[in-house]
């Protein structure tokens, strides 16, 4: 990723207009895509956290232990509390 960013920054800083425009457009598209992915992961994490809290709020006899474990595993896969950073 660092190599791509350096390459695109070099293109965007070029004296040749087509390279400069292509580099700028490619960098913007890349960053937009990364933001969309981060937003999706954050939303998944928030949904998982809400579901986990709802399941924990149930009476002990009504809790689904398999569901709790699945939600905890999904939360670990999504990176813990990444959705809570903002």
């Amino acid at each position: 990723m660092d190599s791509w960013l350096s390459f695109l920054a070099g293109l965007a800083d070029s004296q040749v207009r087509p390279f400069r425009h292509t580099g700028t457009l490619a960098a913007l598209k890349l960053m937009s895509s990364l933001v969309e992915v981060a937003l999706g992961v954050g939303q998944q994490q928030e949904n998982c956290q809400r579901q986990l809290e709802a399941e924990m709020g149930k009476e002990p006899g009504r809790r689904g232990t398999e569901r709790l474990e699945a939600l905890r595993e999904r939360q670990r896969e999504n990176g813990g509390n990444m959705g809570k950073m903002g």
Side-chain angles (χ1 to χ4, degrees), residues 1-20:
M1 185 58 89
D2 290 338
S3 298
W4 276 106
L5 291 175
S6 296
F7 175 70
L8 292 175
L11 282 178
D13 196 36
S14 175
Q15 295 296 320
V16 181
R17 185 177 182 176
F19 288 160
R20 189 172 61 240

Side-chain angles (χ1 to χ4, degrees), residues 15-83:
Q15 295 296 320
V16 181
R17 185 177 182 176
F19 288 160
R20 189 172 61 240
H21 287 200
T22 301
T24 302
L25 178 65
L28 287 172
K29 288 289 190 178
L30 177 65
M31 296 309 290
S32 296
S33 298
L34 290 174
V35 167
E36 287 178 19
V37 168
L39 180 63
V41 169
Q43 288 174 342
Q44 286 179 355
Q45 182 62 27
E46 288 175 12
N47 289 340
C48 183
Q49 182 66 34
R50 272 197 310 270
Q51 290 174 351
L52 186 61
E53 289 170 0
E55 196 68 31
M56 292 296 293
K58 291 181 180 178
E59 297 173 9
R62 295 188 64 208
R63 287 183 193 158
T65 55
E66 297 89 17
R67 176 120 171 101
L68 279 173
E69 285 304 316
L71 287 169
R72 286 183 179 137
E73 180 62 29
R74 191 170 7 148
Q75 191 176 33
R76 280 191 290 272
E77 288 174 2
N78 285 341
N81 290 325
M82 273 183 54

